[in-house]
Amino acid sequence: MINGDRAILHSDANCFYASVETVLNPDLIGKAVAVCGSPEQRHGIVLAKSEKAKKYGVKTGMANWQAKQCCPELIIVPPQYEYYLKFSKYIQKIYSRYTNLIEPFGMDECWLDVSASPRDAIEIAQTIREEVREELGLTVSIGVSFNKIFAKLGSDMKKPDAITVITKDNFKEKIWPLAADEMIYIGHSTIRNLNKFGIKTIGDLAHTDREFLQKEFGVNGLKMWQNANGLDASRVCCEGYSAPIKSIGHGTTCACDLENDSEIWKVMYELSQDIGHRLKVYQYDATAIQLTIRANDLVFSQFQCKLETRTQLPYEIAKKAFSLYKDKYVTSGKVRAISIRAINLVESKIERQIDLFIDNEERDKKIKIHDTVENIRDKYGDKSVTYASLVGDIKIPNDRRELVRMPGQMYI
Amino acid sequence: MPVSYRKIPLIVNAIFTKEGSVFPTELIIGDESYLIDRIIDSRPHCPRVVRSVAPIEYTIMVEGYEKKIYYEMDSNTWFSVKEIYS
């Protein structure tokens, strides 16, 4: 504990993907390296870059060719997600030596609550930093503070391989001069609105009238004010905790633009296979779906509608998504990316009201077929059995990106 | 003198205890086998000069010589690191 306050660490693995690449290929150490998606599969952007590449001005999200312009000697490597996941687990194993209160935020960041530890928080941070470097060859930056928000800001302050301590005594001089959008959950849109009122720094936010922020930004305004003043009291969740599931979705950027209904149907049906599988695993039924379509000019449209009957069946999900697309999507032109989300989930064990206007016997047969397909896939692998209509080129890239879980909401 | 490093795969006989510990007992190189006299130290350590995923480094004594060998649980493989001077 720091002076009787909570002791929260936020550990952030530096240039995570790029650093893992240098461990897997030590010839890359000290060179300008960028992990980039494949241009052939139309994911040709920088996902992560090494410290040296950063110095040349290479930024995450840049197109590969732009990155090469910034740094002609840049070495571009493809992502190896399975290794990033492995290293992420190994780092979390090191954290678990000190506390069971570990909250991952994406693959490379974690909050740790070490308040109950007899050891000093700064000493723990120092040991974690050394152990990660020694055992895995990676470096982490750690923020030590009395709440999660400031700990996260601390880990961003000094990089790489450093510790920043933010206490109740020094947060005004260390945190308040920072730009307001450095704080978690203040994005492009919020900062634009804050700037309209002359609020540019975290200090400005802290000094703004609480009622005014609440009036302008609702409950988020109040939360921003609390965070800026160091009053965040959100807890670090327990190791293994997983947030309640509110929706289950799957999306992809296609390997090339989809030009006709048949291609769009195949992609929707393939995406629905995974959604149906996860609905079954987590024992939920979807009662509505949400469809997001991104055209090849990058304009996106989103629609949602209720399903006639709650379901786990991929065919019913895909059929509804397709009819939504046909009814609502008016933009002509090619489709670049599709994502489908099962929403308004209900637990599948809750008794279902039988629909009087459909052939329930026929539907029961479809459920049995789906269960059988699921059982075969469980036993012999995902690709052991598939629908004939999904055989062949369905324009979905297969690079295992679906394994990656992006950060969502912080636990509160 | 410039030095480079090479990862040398090894065949190792080892005892895997039910508690999850791993103790190498014998190195097999070609047709020869060498008993490991003593394990001086074992610790998780990334050598950083060759490809590895969270290996355990063992410092061992073989026929009077001290050697370092690595066990990578992820791939269930053993290796050592050879320095090459050019």
Side-chain angles (χ1 to χ4, degrees):
Chain A
M1 264 193 230
I2 310 172
N3 302 330
D5 297 318
R6 288 196 300 160
I8 311 289
L9 312 186
H10 181 266
S11 178
D12 184 355
N14 305 127
C15 314
F16 182 57
Y17 291 2
S19 302
V20 172
E21 290 299 331
T22 61
V23 175
L24 296 175
N25 179 5
D27 290 342
L28 299 175
I29 292 173
K31 293 183 180 154
V33 180
V35 180
C36 296
S38 148
E40 289 76 33
Q41 294 185 337
R42 307 198 308 164
H43 299 109
I45 57 164
V46 176
L47 304 168
K49 68 276 171 199
S50 65
E51 283 295 329
K52 191 167 180 195
K54 207 184 278 181
K55 281 181 192 151
Y56 278 96
V58 176
K59 292 195 172 106
T60 305
M62 245 180 196
N64 293 6
W65 60 268
Q66 285 173 312
K68 270 278 187 194
Q69 270 182 349
C70 289
C71 175
E73 67 195 59
L74 185 72
I75 300 169
I76 291 180
V77 294
Q80 304 188 68
Y81 291 107
E82 66 275 28
Y83 282 103
Y84 307 152
L85 285 167
K86 271 179 197 166
F87 274 87
S88 173
K89 279 186 192 144
Y90 284 125
I91 295 177
Q92 283 182 35
K93 257 190 195 170
I94 292 176
Y95 298 153
S96 67
R97 294 171 193 167
Y98 303 95
T99 177
N100 66 335
L101 298 174
I102 301 168
E103 181 181 338
F105 194 63
M107 265 199 274
D108 56 342
E109 294 181 32
C110 264
W111 279 286
L112 288 80
D113 186 338
V114 293
S115 309
S117 172
R119 291 176 64 181
D120 176 53
I122 301 165
E123 188 192 316
I124 292 175
Q126 186 65 31
T127 317
I128 287 176
R129 199 168 67 90
E130 283 163 9
E131 287 178 347
V132 172
R133 194 179 47 208
E134 177 71 15
E135 296 178 23
L136 303 175
L138 302 175
T139 58
V140 290
S141 291
I142 302 179
V144 184
S145 190
F146 55 94
N147 68 46
K148 283 164 78 176
I149 304 290
F150 286 179
K152 180 159 169 57
L153 283 165
S155 70
D156 287 333
M157 277 180 171
K158 269 188 258 165
K159 285 184 173 181
D161 202 11
I163 294 171
T164 307
V165 183
I166 292 161
T167 62
K168 278 190 173 164
D169 298 328
N170 70 10
F171 81 88
K172 288 179 186 168
E173 62 203 74
K174 283 196 168 178
I175 299 287
W176 282 5
L178 299 175
D181 59 353
E182 299 233 353
M183 209 160 68
I184 190 170
Y185 299 133
I186 299 186
H188 299 300
S189 163
T190 312
I191 193 68
R192 236 187 349 257
N193 291 327
L194 286 172
N195 285 346
K196 275 187 215 160
F197 301 112
I199 300 168
K200 296 204 183 308
T201 64
I202 297 175
D204 293 341
L205 197 55
H207 289 118
T208 307
D209 182 52
R210 197 171 77 156
E211 272 77 35
F212 171 77
L213 286 171
Q214 194 169 6
K215 197 176 123 236
E216 289 297 326
F217 299 93
V219 69
N220 290 335
L222 183 62
K223 193 78 197 137
M224 282 191 289
W225 183 86
Q226 286 173 336
N227 291 347
N229 281 290
L231 301 173
D232 165 55
S234 55
R235 294 166 294 162
V236 175
C237 73
C238 205
E239 197 178 13
Y241 168 86
S242 53
I245 295 169
K246 290 184 178 169
S247 67
I248 290 176
H250 195 193
T252 188
T253 298
C254 301
C256 54
D257 288 338
L258 306 175
E259 297 181 5
N260 56 50
D261 287 354
S262 155
E263 288 178 348
I264 289 170
W265 163 253
K266 282 182 181 176
V267 170
M268 285 182 174
Y269 198 17
E270 176 66 29
L271 294 176
S272 304
Q273 300 296 314
D274 178 65
I275 298 169
H277 168 70
R278 284 191 284 154
L279 283 168
K280 192 169 162 55
V281 168
Y282 297 116
Q283 298 179 4
Y284 283 106
D285 284 348
T287 63
I289 62 149
Q290 186 185 67
L291 173 70
T292 309
I293 295 180
R294 191 178 287 271
N296 68 346
D297 57 3
L298 300 180
V299 174
F300 86 94
S301 321
Q302 196 170 67
F303 318 102
Q304 64 182 58
C305 73
K306 277 193 168 177
L307 288 153
E308 280 80 26
T309 176
R310 47 186 256 205
T311 189
Q312 289 180 342
L313 294 178
Y315 181 75
E316 290 181 353
I317 294 167
K319 204 171 141 197
K320 196 70 194 173
F322 190 70
S323 74
L324 203 53
Y325 156 74
K326 291 298 280 179
D327 295 345
K328 300 275 173 77
Y329 190 68
V330 286
T331 320
S332 57
K334 297 168 184 173
V335 170
R336 180 186 171 91
I338 296 179
S339 101
I340 302 173
R341 186 165 287 279
I343 55 174
N344 299 351
L345 305 181
V346 291
E347 286 181 40
S348 53
K349 63 184 176 204
I350 296 173
E351 290 302 322
R352 178 171 39 199
Q353 174 72 47
I354 292 174
D355 189 336
L356 299 173
F357 304 104
I358 60 165
D359 184 349
N360 283 297
E361 219 169 281
E362 187 62 29
R363 192 164 187 275
D364 286 345
K365 276 187 193 166
K366 283 181 185 164
I367 292 172
K368 272 187 190 163
I369 293 172
H370 174 59
D371 288 349
T372 310
V373 168
E374 280 287 311
N375 289 339
I376 294 171
R377 284 177 180 164
D378 270 355
K379 197 165 179 186
Y380 300 106
D382 286 350
K383 301 289 171 200
S384 57
V385 58
T386 191
Y387 294 91
S389 60
L390 295 177
V391 174
D393 179 20
I394 52 168
K395 300 189 173 175
I396 291 185
N398 183 22
D399 59 2
R400 310 285 291 160
R401 265 172 302 113
E402 68 271 19
L403 291 167
V404 180
R405 184 166 291 192
M406 301 313 283
Q409 282 290 110
M410 185 174 91
Y411 182 73
I412 49 172
Chain B
M1 202 183 295
V3 59
S4 60
Y5 299 89
R6 191 179 294 163
K7 186 174 179 175
I8 310 290
L10 292 175
I11 299 171
V12 175
N13 282 330
I15 295 168
F16 290 73
T17 69
K18 63 181 179 189
E19 289 79 22
S21 302
V22 182
F23 300 108
T25 55
E26 189 179 23
L27 290 181
I28 298 166
I29 300 170
D31 296 335
E32 303 284 326
S33 68
Y34 302 89
L35 282 179
I36 293 169
D37 304 324
R38 201 154 67 92
I39 299 170
I40 298 168
D41 186 28
S42 74
R43 61 184 182 133
H45 175 68
C46 173
R48 289 296 270 144
V49 288
V50 296
R51 179 191 173 99
S52 62
V53 179
I56 311 279
E57 181 189 78
Y58 292 88
T59 309
I60 54 171
M61 290 298 290
V62 180
E63 297 194 344
Y65 292 98
E66 192 178 300
K67 275 194 73 78
K68 286 191 192 301
I69 60 171
Y70 298 85
Y71 174 59
E72 207 177 78
M73 207 175 286
D74 181 59
S75 56
N76 194 21
T77 52
W78 293 86
F79 66 91
S80 65
V81 176
K82 189 175 180 183
E83 287 181 7
I84 297 165
Y85 294 94
S86 51

